[in-house]
Amino acid sequence: MSAIDRLAPLLDVPLPDAVGGAAAGPFVDLVEGRPGSRGRIQDLWESRGGAGFYDRLIGAGDRVRDSVPDLTYGGLVRDFYGVARRLDLVGGETVLDLACGPGTLTRHLADAAGTDGLVVGADLSPAMLTRAARAVPAANTVFVRADAMALPLHDACLDAVCCSLCLQLVPDLDTALAQIRRVLRPGGRLAVTVPAHGRGPFRVLTEVLARGGQARLFGRGELADALVRHGFVRVATRWDSVMQIVDAVAPGAAPPRG
């Protein structure tokens, strides 16, 4: 069974008619038209040039992550790319890589989910998805154009969600978090990364950059507090510096053993 065939039962919208045919593109488009602008940064990621820049940037980090010294945020870099470890994937899981970009993290998730698993890479940018589909031709992976504000998935259909560098661009944080919680099974795991404000005098600089790019930067503990507010449990902040890296578990999980 192909990844698209395995995707179909998870969707709460019909697959487009052309999917799987000769005219099918590299990803499944589940968004009607183009949503209104999500800000200058998202508009940049929608372009071919912006997608190419982001691909080179995140790909370079992946290549050097094991050689970055701990004193210069080496641990943060390794945790950012180590999403399969953070989600505790052992194989066979159904995983959503929300805002998959050019597929750098999707590839790690696909390797960890194995042949019995399914990884759905979702993004709003066709340029990103085209790159991702080319970079990750894994048989257990399918890419879809989808909006984080209205995920086209049934309730409680996923074992894990990776959401890296996405929530700073959504129009409403609570709506996006509610969607993530909705599609996760009870006890499903979530790994999130968002950019954060600089400390001390650097706060002014990050404020200027955020306003210029029309993106949100998170204050200290803000992401963890938001996840708790949405009912997530075992919320653990790994980093709260230039980026916030926070892992959590959807409500309804069995209590930890021991």
Side-chain angles (χ1 to χ4, degrees):
M1 184 181 294
S2 71
I4 290 178
D5 291 333
R6 295 166 66 190
L7 169 69
L10 305 180
L11 298 177
D12 65 1
V13 298
L15 282 170
D17 292 338
V19 169
F27 59 89
V28 181
D29 195 338
L30 300 176
V31 178
E32 291 187 7
R34 184 183 186 281
S37 175
R38 300 285 170 86
R40 296 188 184 96
I41 290 180
Q42 179 61 41
D43 290 343
L44 177 63
W45 297 158
E46 293 271 346
S47 69
R48 291 178 62 185
F53 169 76
Y54 186 78
D55 191 359
R56 289 189 291 272
L57 179 65
I58 199 170
D62 196 24
R63 288 190 294 273
V64 304
R65 59 179 173 144
D66 292 328
S67 60
V68 179
D70 287 342
L71 293 177
T72 56
Y73 295 110
L76 181 151
V77 172
R78 284 184 283 278
D79 277 347
F80 173 79
Y81 289 99
V83 287
R85 168 178 49 81
R86 289 165 51 201
L87 292 171
D88 197 24
L89 301 183
V90 296
E93 296 90 354
T94 301
V95 185
L96 172 66
D97 186 9
L98 184 56
C100 66
T104 304
L105 301 183
T106 318
R107 183 174 59 253
H108 297 308
L109 295 170
D111 289 343
T115 55
D116 292 331
L118 175 68
V119 177
V120 182
D123 207 287
L124 198 57
S125 166
M128 291 286 193
L129 289 165
T130 299
R131 285 180 168 271
R134 184 169 62 242
V136 191
N140 67 344
T141 303
V142 59
F143 290 96
V144 302
R145 183 169 177 246
D147 189 346
M149 301 295 289
L151 293 174
L153 297 165
H154 288 301
D155 295 357
C157 68
L158 301 174
D159 298 306
V161 173
C162 167
C163 182
S164 293
L165 300 180
C166 167
L167 297 177
Q168 75 276 11
L169 300 174
V170 298
D172 184 77
L173 176 64
D174 287 321
T175 298
L177 290 180
Q179 285 290 300
I180 292 171
R181 174 179 168 174
R182 178 182 65 79
V183 299
L184 273 171
R185 296 185 176 118
R189 294 180 177 272
L190 172 64
V192 189
T193 302
V194 294
H197 280 292
R199 303 288 172 80
F202 293 104
R203 171 98 187 201
V204 176
L205 175 60
T206 55
E207 285 277 10
V208 171
L209 292 174
R211 290 179 182 177
Q214 296 177 317
R216 174 180 187 154
L217 294 185
F218 286 72
R220 190 174 181 87
E222 185 179 359
L223 175 57
D225 289 346
L227 290 170
V228 170
R229 188 172 67 249
H230 279 266
F232 284 90
V233 298
R234 303 184 208 168
V235 178
T237 300
R238 291 176 175 268
W239 295 92
D240 196 347
S241 53
V242 295
M243 288 196 295
Q244 289 180 18
I245 295 183
V246 183
D247 298 337
V249 174
R257 290 175 291 181

